[in-house]
Amino acid sequence: MRASGILLPIFSLPSRYGAGDLDSEAYNFIDRLHEAGQRYWQVLPIGPVNKEYCPYQSGSGFAGEPLLISLERLRDKGLLSDQDLAPFDSAVITWEERMERRRELLKKAFRVFRGKLSEDEEAELHFLAFCRMEGDWLDDYALYSALAAYYDDGDWSLWEEGLRDRRTGELAKWSVMLSDEIQFYRWTQYEFFEEWDRLKRYAHAKGVELIGDIPYYTAFESADCWAHPELFQIGVGNEQGFEAGAPPDSFTSEGQCWGNPVYDWSAHKAQNYDWWIRRIRQQLRFFDVVRLDHMRGFESYFAIPYETEDPRDGHWEKGPGMELFSAVKEALGECRFIAEDLGYLTDEVKDMMAQAGYPGMKVLQFAFDTSEENVYLPMNYDTDNSVIYTGTHDNDTTMGWYEKAEEWKKRFVSWYLREKAGLSDGAAQPDEIMDPATAVKGLVELALSSRCELSIIPMQDYLLLGSEARINVPGVAEGNWRWQMEEGAFHEKLAAAIREATAIYNR
């Protein structure tokens, strides 16, 4: 069934508290999606972020990011007061200061929550039941997070040897020493899961389903890597044996080091891929559809020796391929996946994609780099089992991309939209270059009109925003993951226009 949706990370919602969260703005956005006739809201990963707030360098493959917890909802539950939220009204508080203030208020809310448990037996039983039910990952996550806070460093390879190697006596000793902090991190997950489940139910009631990402790799500084080093290629002394990256190519002559430890797939196979199955099951609890990041890595991945961190020393290794997906299907049944199959794909990757049958991705910003034979041009699609995007979180906004494009590429876009897609530009001459706003609107319409079953448009493209609204610049470590939509930007008039276009193209 043809459908459409909008891509907007949770942290990009408007908020006076720093990054966007699960407060009223999330519900307002769902209302607007419903008014706009959209059936999907795609977000990025919602796991714990690193110090640069990158959701693809997560501290857990199972937990939710505590900073997404709604302060307003904590206030409504009596865990915070209006006075606690008042300092955020000051215009002189920076984004970073707001985020630090959020952390402090989460700890205050936990102290109030803990004090109330002794008076509310039902609430205590509910909290303890959650901790037991999620204990297979929650205990490790809470202890790891408490230790990382104590050491002010999540690099567990630098912790004292007994903790680094997870010796039973040391773990027991520190579990007692840091018991309050451990309970705090358990509570953040209890609160996050409750808020997320509430949001998901609201979305479903409005006819909106949620799409989320599962990063291919996890961070070295993560509870998973610390608790299960046997599942990663970590060398002697618990230092990374190999890290993930990309070889030198036409885009980066020296290659790329990503910093993530690569998997020991033989160890995963010996456990019948239990960690991956549990991880995917968790993401399917959060989302209706899961986007599988870096799909080609499941067929083969690039491993770089940690001792050199030189991509030129790296080599390709075989991944689990269909064996993993068969194990997932056997354990979880049919799962709704989107495969991130962008970039150069070998015949082996194409075969794996065909066997899996998951819809791949088509990105229009990639469609005008070469000639009319470009596989990302809609007229060349050989299947409707795809999801079409104008751009992704790693791309510039379509406005920013078009404004920076060479003249020949702008002419290519303008010609294609007029001559091949039949999208008129008023009284413009056939060889004239479209102005940026007209081109962006045309590309959005092109995505909606394509044969792909699902069309996803980044919110910035509906808002006609330029590079100032870009979410991420790959390869740049700082300054990403900060963009937020202005309050009221997704207004009724825009929702009505989106709904009209959606109806025209039967989505």
Side-chain angles (χ1 to χ4, degrees):
M1 179 183 294
R2 288 171 64 80
S4 61
I6 292 179
L7 168 61
L8 183 79
I10 301 293
F11 61 75
S12 290
L13 290 165
S15 177
R16 67 187 183 97
Y17 306 114
D21 57 32
L22 302 179
D23 68 7
S24 57
E25 287 290 352
Y27 292 83
N28 292 340
F29 190 75
I30 291 172
D31 289 341
R32 283 289 188 258
L33 288 172
H34 174 70
E35 294 169 14
Q38 303 305 290
R39 289 182 50 207
Y40 292 95
W41 179 9
Q42 180 167 347
V43 301
L44 300 188
I46 57 175
V49 298
N50 68 359
K51 294 178 181 179
E52 295 300 327
Y53 299 94
C54 175
Y56 292 91
Q57 288 282 353
S58 181
S60 170
F62 300 85
E65 170 52 63
L67 291 173
L68 295 180
I69 293 172
S70 168
L71 299 182
E72 293 178 354
R73 182 152 176 79
L74 294 179
R75 178 198 58 196
D76 295 343
K77 295 169 73 171
L79 303 180
L80 295 176
S81 67
D82 288 333
Q83 289 72 26
D84 290 324
L85 305 189
F88 288 100
D89 293 329
S90 172
V92 300
I93 301 177
T94 67
W95 189 89
E96 287 75 13
E97 288 171 335
R98 292 174 190 270
M99 299 302 280
E100 185 57 36
R101 175 67 174 158
R102 290 180 74 124
R103 294 185 179 93
E104 295 171 359
L105 288 180
L106 285 177
K107 293 178 180 178
K108 178 176 181 178
F110 169 67
R111 291 193 295 269
V112 177
F113 171 82
R114 185 173 55 182
K116 289 186 174 185
L117 282 186
S118 60
E119 305 169 2
D120 190 337
E121 182 178 358
E122 184 178 351
E124 182 178 23
L125 290 175
H126 196 253
F127 173 61
L128 294 176
F130 171 82
C131 293
R132 285 194 300 270
M133 184 168 54
E134 304 295 334
D136 64 335
W137 64 268
L138 182 59
D139 292 345
D140 287 324
Y141 166 76
L143 178 55
Y144 168 82
S145 299
L147 288 166
Y150 176 84
Y151 279 99
D152 194 27
D153 190 353
D155 186 350
W156 50 271
S157 69
L158 302 178
W159 297 350
E160 61 181 73
E161 191 173 307
L163 288 176
R164 185 194 69 187
D165 297 338
R166 292 178 56 84
R167 294 174 188 169
T168 303
E170 286 297 300
L171 294 182
K173 181 184 74 174
W174 282 86
S175 294
V176 173
M177 289 174 56
L178 300 178
S179 59
D180 288 346
E181 290 82 356
I182 291 169
Q183 282 295 83
F184 165 71
Y185 287 105
R186 287 193 177 110
W187 169 79
T188 63
Q189 296 309 299
Y190 172 73
E191 184 65 34
F192 176 89
F193 274 59
E194 184 180 84
E195 290 193 15
W196 187 269
D197 289 346
R198 181 173 178 263
L199 182 80
K200 188 177 179 182
R201 288 194 301 270
Y202 186 84
H204 287 179
K206 292 289 186 175
V208 174
E209 294 189 296
L210 304 177
I211 303 174
D213 276 20
I214 181 169
Y216 179 78
Y217 288 113
T218 189
F220 179 75
E221 296 181 355
S222 68
D224 304 283
C225 205
W226 173 64
H228 303 286
E230 73 280 1
L231 298 179
F232 303 86
Q233 294 190 42
I234 298 174
V236 177
N238 282 340
E239 295 178 355
Q240 292 172 272
F242 291 93
E243 65 177 299
D249 55 24
S250 58
F251 297 102
T252 54
S253 59
E254 296 181 357
Q256 299 178 59
C257 285
W258 296 340
N260 311 80
V262 299
Y263 296 108
D264 185 336
W265 285 112
S266 62
H268 284 273
K269 180 177 181 178
Q271 297 182 12
N272 198 30
Y273 302 104
D274 175 70
W275 183 83
W276 269 97
I277 290 170
R278 291 189 295 110
R279 187 184 182 201
I280 290 174
R281 180 187 290 116
Q282 187 81 311
Q283 299 306 308
L284 289 170
R285 173 178 176 175
F286 292 141
F287 307 115
D288 300 290
V289 183
V290 172
R291 175 185 176 272
L292 298 170
D293 179 49
H294 194 51
M295 186 68 177
R296 80 151 297 167
F298 292 105
E299 193 285 320
S300 58
Y301 60 93
F302 197 69
I304 302 167
Y306 185 67
E307 60 185 10
T308 69
E309 294 190 320
D310 187 343
R312 292 170 295 184
D313 295 332
H315 63 279
W316 289 99
E317 291 277 356
K318 281 292 182 183
M322 279 303 301
E323 191 174 79
L324 168 63
F325 301 122
S326 297
V328 170
K329 183 177 181 179
E330 182 177 352
L332 304 179
E334 293 289 347
C335 301
R336 298 171 66 189
F337 291 132
I338 296 171
E340 188 273 286
D341 58 343
L342 304 175
Y344 174 73
L345 303 181
T346 64
D347 290 338
E348 291 82 2
V349 176
K350 294 176 183 177
D351 289 343
M352 181 183 68
M353 284 286 296
Q355 291 181 61
Y358 307 144
M361 294 175 58
K362 304 293 186 183
V363 178
L364 287 181
Q365 287 189 29
F366 299 157
F368 303 95
D369 290 339
T370 52
S371 65
E372 292 180 57
E373 286 73 42
N374 190 304
V375 297
Y376 291 106
L377 284 172
M379 68 180 186
N380 296 326
Y381 297 170
D382 57 2
T383 178
D384 56 6
N385 188 32
S386 297
V387 183
I388 188 169
Y389 297 77
T390 46
T392 74
H393 63 278
D394 281 333
N395 293 104
D396 200 344
T397 67
T398 302
M399 178 73 78
W401 167 79
Y402 185 80
E403 289 177 333
K404 296 184 182 73
E406 301 94 325
E407 182 174 330
W408 68 266
K409 189 175 292 186
K410 292 179 181 177
R411 290 190 181 278
F412 190 179
V413 171
S414 303
W415 169 81
Y416 189 89
L417 292 177
R418 291 193 187 104
E419 303 300 319
K420 292 295 184 180
L423 304 178
S424 175
D425 185 20
Q429 297 299 314
D431 61 342
E432 283 186 9
I433 293 176
M434 288 182 173
D435 67 86
T438 301
V440 173
K441 292 177 182 178
L443 289 166
V444 168
E445 191 174 346
L446 180 62
L448 294 173
S449 67
S450 76
R451 64 181 294 185
C452 296
E453 287 189 355
L454 179 58
S455 169
I456 300 290
I457 308 298
M459 192 67 224
Q460 300 97 308
D461 290 351
Y462 276 128
L463 296 173
L464 299 178
L465 296 177
S467 298
E468 74 281 357
R470 183 168 186 168
I471 289 175
N472 180 48
V473 181
V476 176
E478 299 179 354
N480 295 314
W481 322 110
R482 298 288 200 279
W483 176 75
Q484 290 178 267
M485 181 171 64
E486 290 186 5
E487 185 177 359
F490 194 5
H491 47 69
E492 292 181 2
K493 185 177 179 180
L494 177 56
I498 295 172
R499 187 180 189 90
E500 181 180 0
T502 300
I504 289 173
Y505 294 108
N506 192 30
R507 293 196 180 272

